[in-house]
Amino acid sequence: MPDSAAAPVILGTTGPFPHSVLAERHPAIIQQVRDAFPYGPEQHRALDALLRNCTEGVIEPLPGHDRWHDWGLDEYAGQSWFDVPWLWSESWFYRRLLDAVGYFGTGPWQGIDPFRPFKLAELDAKETDEELAALDTLDDDPDHALLHGSLWGNRADLGFRLSAEAGAAVSALVADDSAALWPLLRGGTLCLVADNAGRELVPDLLLIAHLLDTGRAGRAVLHIKPYPYYVSDATTADVLDALRRLTAAPGTAAAYGRTLWSAMSDGRLTVRAHPFSCAPLPYAEMPDDLRAEFASADLTLFKGDLNYRRLVGDRRWPPTTPFADVTAWFPGPVAALRTLKSDVITGLSADTEAALDAAEGQRWRTAGTHALIQVNPLPSAATSPR
C-alpha cells in the first residue's frame, strides 16, 4: 500500500484549481440556478446567504443533517470552506444549495431539480442526434467504440472513438488498461457507478446495452445519485430522460433503447441510488452493504472525475503511484473510465508524466483534454489507504 502520509488530502487552498472552484465556480453556479427558475423571495434570500457564507464565512453546524454529522459536519463546523478537504466542501456546497432552493422542504419547490434545465438542454442538443446517428456506422469493433464513447462522454467524437491528434506530443489517453478489462466481463454482474447526466449518461447506457446484448454482462446495476449533485450528476429522472431519448431515436440507438427498457423491466438492469453516492468521503469509507454489493460484482466500473477522486482518495498522489496500490482495499475487481478534470492522478508511467508536464505544464490535469482507462483485476481488500 502507498504511504498516504506522503500524499496530503487536497484542500481548498491546495493550488489554484481547487481555490478557483470554491471562489469562482460556486458563485457562478448560484447565479445560474437563480436565473434558471422564477424562485420567490425566500429562495433568493437563501441563495444570497449561501453566496456570502461559501465565499466569506465558515461552515455552519446546521440542525437536521443527521447523515452529515456522521460524514464530518461536527469536525469541520466553524472552519473556512477553503481550509477543509476540498471534496468535503464541494459536496457540502451542493447540499446547501438544494436546501436554499427548497428541494428538501415541504413547499412547491420540493423535489425540483435546480440543474434540470441545463441537463435537458444538453440532452436535446443537435450534437446528441449526430452522436446517436453515428451508431449506425460503427465499424467491426463496437467493444472499442462504445467503451471509448463512455470514456469521453460528451467529448466523444461522432464515431464514438478516441480522436488523439496524429503526431501530438502526448496521447490523449494517458493510461490504457482496456486489455485487462474485457476478460473480467464473463456474463456475470457489472456495477457501473455513473457520473454525469445528458450526453455522458447516454453512452454509458449504450455500453450497458451492448454488454447485455452480447452476453458479456448477464446483469447490470447502474449506480446513480439519490438527489441532484455537482450540477450534472445523474439521478433516476435523468436515466429516464436518457432512455426516452434513445427509444425515440431512429436506427441502432432505438434498438439499444429497447434493450435497456426490457432489461429494466425484467431485472437484468437495476438502478441503484445509495445515500453514500452523495457522501463527501472517499469510497474507502463506504458502508458495509455497499461494500458487499461491489464485492459480489464481476466488475465495478467507476465513471468520471468525481468518482475517480472518491475511488483513489482525493489526495496529491505522486502521479506514478500505481493504481493497483491505491485501490488494493477495494472488495472486488475495479476499473475507472475518467476524463481528467482535477488534480488527483495515479497510475502514470514516469515517461508519460514527464511528457505531459513538458508539453502542458500542469494544465493536463484539469483541462478535460486527456483521459484514462485503469483496471485493478485482483484487489486484495486490504486496509484502506486513508
Side-chain angles (χ1 to χ4, degrees):
M1 297 296 294
D3 181 9
S4 60
V9 171
I10 295 175
L11 309 178
T13 54
T14 306
F17 185 70
H19 186 275
S20 71
V21 169
L22 298 178
E24 300 170 15
R25 183 182 296 177
H26 287 177
I29 289 170
I30 291 174
Q31 188 61 51
Q32 289 171 346
V33 167
R34 181 196 297 271
D35 294 341
F37 287 95
Y39 289 121
E42 180 181 353
Q43 286 76 33
H44 284 189
R45 286 192 293 270
L47 290 170
D48 288 341
L50 176 59
L51 177 60
R52 290 191 298 271
N53 180 244
C54 73
T55 54
E56 303 171 9
V58 298
I59 295 164
E60 299 173 349
L62 300 179
H65 291 79
D66 295 341
R67 187 172 286 127
W68 279 85
H69 290 288
D70 296 333
W71 288 346
L73 181 56
D74 293 338
E75 178 181 357
Y76 299 130
Q79 298 186 50
S80 166
W81 290 63
F82 295 82
D83 293 335
V84 305
W86 181 45
L87 175 64
W88 200 96
S89 57
E90 273 195 292
S91 300
W92 183 234
F93 169 78
Y94 288 103
R95 184 59 177 79
R96 290 297 315 278
L97 181 62
L98 293 183
D99 282 336
V101 298
Y103 182 88
F104 293 110
T106 57
W109 294 102
Q110 182 183 27
I112 301 298
D113 184 348
F115 312 125
R116 185 168 173 79
F118 318 129
K119 295 173 178 178
L120 289 179
E122 182 181 276
L123 190 62
D124 293 339
K126 65 179 179 63
E127 289 84 0
T128 305
D129 291 323
E130 295 168 346
E131 289 166 357
L132 293 180
L135 290 169
D136 296 328
T137 61
L138 288 184
D139 59 20
D140 295 331
D141 191 5
D143 287 351
H144 174 90
L146 291 169
L147 179 68
H148 281 270
S150 178
L151 169 65
W152 287 98
N154 60 16
R155 293 191 61 85
D157 68 5
L158 300 185
F160 285 82
R161 290 170 180 79
L162 182 69
S163 56
E165 192 173 317
V170 289
S171 171
L173 196 59
V174 299
D176 184 6
D177 297 339
S178 55
L181 185 149
W182 297 111
L184 299 173
L185 297 167
R186 302 182 297 267
T189 298
L190 167 71
C191 286
L192 191 152
V193 183
D195 187 31
N196 293 329
R199 286 172 57 212
E200 181 168 336
L201 182 60
V202 166
D204 292 345
L205 292 174
L206 292 172
L207 178 62
I208 289 174
H210 173 69
L211 296 176
L212 292 172
D213 276 345
T214 58
R216 286 187 179 275
R219 176 174 177 265
V221 182
L222 179 65
H223 285 257
I224 45 82
K225 300 301 189 294
Y227 49 79
Y229 193 60
Y230 277 69
V231 180
S232 55
D233 281 30
T235 65
T236 302
D238 300 318
V239 173
L240 298 177
D241 286 338
L243 186 55
R244 293 189 189 100
R245 188 76 161 87
L246 285 172
T247 55
T252 303
Y256 279 132
R258 290 191 294 270
T259 291
L260 294 164
W261 193 285
S262 174
M264 290 185 72
S265 299
D266 63 27
R268 287 177 296 136
L269 173 58
T270 303
V271 177
R272 183 93 154 92
H274 195 284
F276 194 77
S277 295
C278 289
L281 304 172
Y283 269 98
E285 300 181 35
M286 63 184 161
D288 290 342
D289 63 326
L290 189 56
R291 185 180 297 270
E293 186 168 336
F294 291 152
S296 67
D298 286 44
L299 175 66
T300 300
L301 180 59
F302 284 84
K303 267 300 308 292
D305 193 79
L306 175 61
N307 285 327
Y308 187 87
R309 292 165 59 192
R310 296 185 65 196
L311 174 64
V312 305
D314 202 32
R315 295 176 175 271
R316 192 76 180 194
W317 296 108
T320 55
T321 305
F323 177 75
D325 287 0
V326 295
T327 57
W329 58 271
F330 200 79
V334 63
L337 298 184
R338 176 212 183 189
T339 302
L340 278 58
K341 298 178 182 176
S342 65
D343 288 313
V344 62
I345 183 69
T346 68
L348 299 190
S349 69
D351 288 345
T352 296
E353 180 191 5
L356 288 165
D357 286 343
E360 304 178 32
Q362 293 296 298
R363 187 176 179 276
W364 60 270
R365 292 175 177 259
T366 61
T369 54
H370 297 282
L372 57 79
I373 301 171
Q374 292 178 325
V375 179
N376 186 357
L378 294 172
S380 65
T383 303
S384 61
R386 300 182 192 174

